[in-house]
Amino acid sequence: MPLWFSMLFLVVSISCSRENDSEAISDHPFDQLSEEEKRLPENALLGIKVNEQVHASLFASEPMLTNPTNIDIDHKGRVWVCEAYNYRPSITGNDTKAEGDRILILEDTDGDGSADKSTVFYQDPELNAPLGIWVMGNQAIVSQSPYVWLLTDTDGDDQADKKEVIFTGVGGEQHDHGMHAFVFGPDGKFYFNFGNSGGSIQDRNGEVLKDTNGNPIVPEHYKEGLVFRCNPDFSEIEVLGQNFRNNYEVVVDSYGTLWQSDNDDDGNKGVRINYVMEYGNFGYKDEMTGAGWRANRTNKEDEIPQQHWHLNDPGVVPNLLQTGAGSPTGMVVYEGRALPEIFWDQMIHTDAGPNVVRSYPVEKDGAGYKASIVNIMEGDKDQWFRPSDVCVAPDGSLMVADWYDPGVGGHQAGDLDRGRIFRITNAATPHEQPEILFNTLNGSMEALLSPNLSARYQAWKNIQAMGKDAIPALEKIFHENPNPRFQARAFWALAKMGPDGEKYIQEAIGHENPDLRIAGLRAARQEKADLLPYLQQLVRDKEPQVRREAAIALRNLRIPEAPELWATLAEQHDGEDRWYLEALGIGAEGQWDSFYKAWLEKTGTDPLGSKKNEDIIWRSRTGHAVRHLAELASDQNRPLDDRLRYFRAFDFNPDREGKSAALVKMLEEETLRKENQEERSSINNLVLTHLDPAYLNRSDLARQALRQALDESAGTEAYLELVQKFEVKSENQRLLDMALAHSDNNLGRTAAGLLLRLDGINMVREVLYSSEEERVYPMLSVLKSIGTQQSLQLLESMAFDESLPLNIRKEATAAIGGSYGGEERILELLKAERLPENLIPAAVTGVSRAWRKSVRTEAASYLDSPAGDDNPLPPMNELLAMEGSVEKGLAVFKNQCAICHQAGDIGMDFGPKLTEIGSKLSKEAQFISILHPDAGISFGYEGYLLQMKDGSTLGGIIASQTETDIALKMPGGNTVPVKTADMKSMEQMESSMMPSGLEKAMSTQELVDLVAYLMSLKKSS
């Protein structure tokens, strides 16, 4: 199609009414277009379902921009775009631009609703795939891990001529779990976040920053993804929330309430939306040990999406909403009035995984909130629609950035030449951008009420510069404006007026609107006011949300009255409101002993018997609660399932000596029971699960309970966990029997690994040399994937032992290559020509399904007839046009993929779950992921090499990691426990653990069938 005709069609299409859009869709349905036609900008809306209450048009597209990762809109209504053409070329293999990526300013100069002017604000080789931009007049804060830059246009030509490093040391380069965008808060502060690759944050000189309590912002103090607040000059940085996975973009409403999205480990349907309760822990990793969510624990949630966030653990803030599978990206709080009322004052969010832009109407629910979902745009036909960000223009319209790609992004980019910006309005006719005179008092007040953050920032600066001259106009808004969010914005400006701000704080705290009372208390905390009179007023507020803020305000407030204030708040817990309970926990941090004591005085000597009191005991972090926890955990009048939460609470209590003694006392009480032997055994097992191993030798009863538990659980995963925890060498015979009996599954492999760790090598050797093939072969099978120095030496000694039968030696040789370190050893033996000729085929066979294509290829070269590429694939356009069979593809999946992936109930839990992969990736992206696995490594599924002190090398995925232990997950789902004390180093693999060249193990039609099956795996409606 000629370019002039394309542009003519584009102009016509974006100026049509919704009725004309509908006619175009009916005349030219998206699924009847060719693949090339589907990708044309003029057809951009044909594959997208738009909410009937709004109108969507194309504001900008390629070639004006490509690959937009993040956008912002300035006070003039211009759209600033971060491009990411140079995205992970070392992984994707894509081309790059030597001049670097760009930050563009897109402008609609003639008011027709589409961009007609593009200016390059900044381009530099150092700029590669920035993920965040916040625009403030002639400056922009750009987030690109490991840096945050401040770019300034000093001469007014819309081109940055000054770049400063603000922060550094955040995560790795080009990592999308690193630093994200900054936003401006109603309090005049900046808010931002990073995902769980961020780790730490440093100033421009490389010095680790400290929070307002003096703690270094490092993983030792804060877990995983974090949310921050700081002053506009980047001082006084605070950590407002922790333990997220990849919290992509935080937003703040006019009351100062924080909201954001968070991504799960891919494929686990756990994507969530959070109200960020200040200073909360949000549960991605175990708070105490850092273990991953897959690790076994008492009172584990029933469903994986809940397990993912440790929601049954005390100290975890609830999720506002869980949205299933996805790849959540940008977010905004829409406080405009140009869109329909259902979107007023609500979060609007982009999720590139399921190709959707959503709103989440929120309602108050006790001390927290609940939310529903309303879709705004949905790529129901066009799975290349990958919304990456959304912002609000000064006229109240929305701008939606579209990465537009067959893949989600992450570690993959299938298209470098496309990208779109859509405009969402209430009607087909474009709104006019308001002209605001920012340098006047009235203009600044008008801008303060703008739905656009950049306009509000400009107003804030001017109002603060005006000082007392701005107070009458601000008071008018605060007292008279019917919109309480506008009142809140005026209040924040008044509260920051130095000494004059105190009276406005007092006024807000006494306001009839509870949201303004909350804003008042938040401002009092920020301004370091005397909180005592305010808290004395608010601890009995009728609104639980206000009392929630009062509880949070007690955090680190060390005044004599604090325990009594907290006890008053705790007394009002209703036993149902988890948000309220967690706010109490946040407020009591560091003062639990005195707070709990004050609460006990209010409740009386026996706090048991009511759910609300038992919640406080469960959530507490003080040795004073151990006795009460033990009573609740051992209460025979309660079903055991109801008592599990109290056993779990022992793990969070800081009194190690006291809780171990209480647990052992429970064993003594259980010995007196004659009835219900099954429950007695369960209690004994629970006591052992939560008992400090160091305490075992101090109690004959505990040792007796352990022996009984081992007898009762022999042959199970629970048995192996007990053996591992207490390192019971007397169990070696049973471990040996278990390894042989379960040689074809994870139980056997885990048992064999434990046996070797517990000095059972002679027992293993005895089996291997027993000449009893029914025992030798199973033992070789379980040794194959362990990969420790001991196991490899055993296998190699058998391979070279000429006194053994040849078939045994061949099996041992093949088994050497069953682990990462074993693959390396096989190559060493082949290179050194140490293997007898009759063992070479077995050695090559042993690495024929190695993760690394280089290993397979090199090993095969030692055979007389190395495998060639006798299965050339047709080009991508032909693959896409081929029809596949879902039923036959399922058979291919079971044969080729199920060893590492799960789809529903089929397969092994090793790599990312594929249950809804058809909703996340387009057909082309499915082919790319199979043909080029290194281009799409899901975060959390990277491979790691562990160099052990004994000289061995282990390779796998880190399923869980604490200071003392690592659970290393191997292909096939086997998990190998590793002590960090036995480890020399750990290094992330550069390549995917999914084997490249997988397509060579199947015909072209089988590959097409497999993709057809994967495309059928979609989210149920």
Side-chain angles (χ1 to χ4, degrees), residues 6 121 152 226 392 438 481 673 686 711 730 734 741 770 794 798 808 831 900 961 1014:
S6 297
F121 177 74
T152 305
L226 308 179
V392 187
F438 286 94
N481 196 289
R673 294 179 58 191
L686 285 165
D711 290 341
S730 60
R734 275 201 287 213
S770 67
L794 283 169
M798 292 191 72
I808 297 290
K831 289 176 185 177
C900 289
Q961 181 176 359
L1014 296 175

Side-chain angles (χ1 to χ4, degrees), residues 206-236:
E207 295 293 326
V208 174
L209 292 171
K210 296 181 179 180
D211 65 17
T212 50
N213 295 319
N215 297 315
I217 302 173
V218 292
E220 289 75 17
H221 286 105
Y222 292 107
K223 285 185 169 59
E224 307 300 316
L226 308 179
V227 181
F228 300 95
R229 173 168 60 205
C230 68
N231 293 328
D233 63 359
F234 308 105
S235 63
E236 289 190 325

Side-chain angles (χ1 to χ4, degrees), residues 267-313:
N268 290 286
K269 303 183 186 180
V271 172
R272 60 179 175 173
I273 306 299
N274 289 118
Y275 149 56
V276 183
M277 187 184 292
E278 288 188 34
Y279 312 117
N281 158 44
F282 288 81
Y284 175 50
K285 294 291 181 71
D286 185 300
E287 177 190 346
M288 307 307 293
T289 67
W293 59 270
R294 291 180 178 87
N296 196 20
R297 59 183 182 270
T298 301
N299 202 34
K300 194 171 186 176
E301 301 77 2
D302 293 334
E303 303 292 333
I304 287 177
Q306 285 73 45
Q307 294 172 9
H308 204 288
W309 307 116
H310 290 83
L311 291 176
N312 282 356
D313 281 358

Side-chain angles (χ1 to χ4, degrees), residues 136 141 150 166-167 182 190 230-237:
M136 35 191 194
I141 298 175
L150 179 64
I166 301 302
F167 298 132
F182 283 59
F190 290 160
C230 68
N231 293 328
D233 63 359
F234 308 105
S235 63
E236 289 190 325
I237 190 167

Side-chain angles (χ1 to χ4, degrees), residues 887-898:
E887 183 178 351
K888 293 179 179 178
L890 172 58
V892 177
F893 177 84
K894 289 179 177 178
N895 185 47
Q896 298 289 347
C897 312

Side-chain angles (χ1 to χ4, degrees), residues 425-666:
T425 60
N426 201 19
T429 55
H431 290 266
E432 293 184 4
Q433 295 293 343
E435 293 187 12
I436 300 175
L437 301 176
F438 286 94
N439 59 345
T440 68
L441 177 61
N442 289 339
S444 292
M445 295 303 145
E446 183 182 353
L448 185 66
L449 308 186
S450 171
N452 173 260
L453 279 183
S454 288
R456 301 214 293 262
Y457 171 78
Q458 297 283 65
W460 179 275
K461 284 204 311 179
N462 290 343
I463 288 168
Q464 295 300 308
M466 294 175 188
K468 293 185 177 181
D469 292 341
I471 287 179
L474 289 170
E475 285 181 333
K476 184 176 179 62
I477 297 172
F478 181 33
H479 294 144
E480 300 178 17
N481 196 289
N483 186 329
R485 293 183 182 241
F486 291 175
Q487 291 180 304
R489 291 182 208 167
F491 158 70
W492 280 109
L494 290 165
K496 300 285 182 168
M497 289 288 183
D500 293 334
E502 181 76 15
K503 71 174 183 177
Y504 300 107
I505 291 175
Q506 292 175 0
E507 188 175 344
I509 284 176
H511 203 281
E512 64 181 2
N513 185 332
D515 291 316
L516 286 168
R517 297 202 292 276
I518 289 171
L521 185 53
R522 288 171 175 167
R525 286 168 45 210
Q526 286 193 21
E527 293 302 291
K528 300 178 175 56
D530 180 6
L531 296 183
L532 179 58
Y534 302 140
L535 290 174
Q536 288 173 329
Q537 178 179 343
L538 296 177
V539 292
R540 290 202 177 275
D541 195 283
K542 64 181 181 180
E543 292 292 335
Q545 296 214 336
V546 176
R547 298 200 305 274
R548 173 200 74 207
E549 290 298 315
I552 293 170
L554 286 169
R555 180 178 179 270
N556 293 330
L557 186 64
R558 300 185 181 277
I559 57 175
E561 297 84 357
E564 174 65 23
L565 292 169
W566 186 88
T568 301
L569 289 165
E571 192 179 26
Q572 297 171 79
H573 173 53
D574 63 5
E576 302 294 333
D577 193 338
R578 178 70 182 273
W579 304 93
Y580 192 86
L581 182 64
E582 289 306 326
L584 289 172
I586 290 168
E589 183 180 342
Q591 302 189 80
W592 267 108
D593 287 351
S594 61
F595 282 18
Y596 191 83
K597 182 179 179 181
W599 172 73
L600 283 178
E601 291 174 355
K602 276 190 175 293
T603 59
T605 55
D606 183 10
L608 307 183
S610 69
K611 175 67 163 53
K612 66 177 188 177
N613 288 349
E614 290 162 4
D615 275 359
I616 303 292
I617 295 168
W618 173 74
R619 178 59 181 87
S620 66
R621 304 292 172 87
T622 170
H624 296 313
V626 166
R627 175 172 61 88
H628 301 127
L629 269 181
E631 289 182 42
L632 290 167
S634 59
D635 185 352
Q636 300 173 25
N637 295 318
R638 301 168 187 257
L640 182 57
D641 285 349
D642 293 346
R643 293 145 58 189
L644 296 179
R645 71 194 301 249
Y646 304 111
F647 278 102
R648 176 61 171 158
F650 277 114
D651 294 340
F652 298 86
N653 196 287
D655 186 358
R656 294 181 62 181
E657 182 76 16
K659 65 187 179 184
S660 292
L663 286 164
V664 169
K665 184 178 180 181
M666 289 172 63

Side-chain angles (χ1 to χ4, degrees), residues 8 65 116 129 149 176 286 308 360 394 440 446 619 761 771 869 990:
L8 176 62
L65 77 154
D116 49 53
W149 291 309
D176 60 348
D286 185 300
H308 204 288
Y360 304 113
T440 68
E446 183 182 353
R619 178 59 181 87
I761 188 170
S771 301
D869 188 2
E990 294 183 0

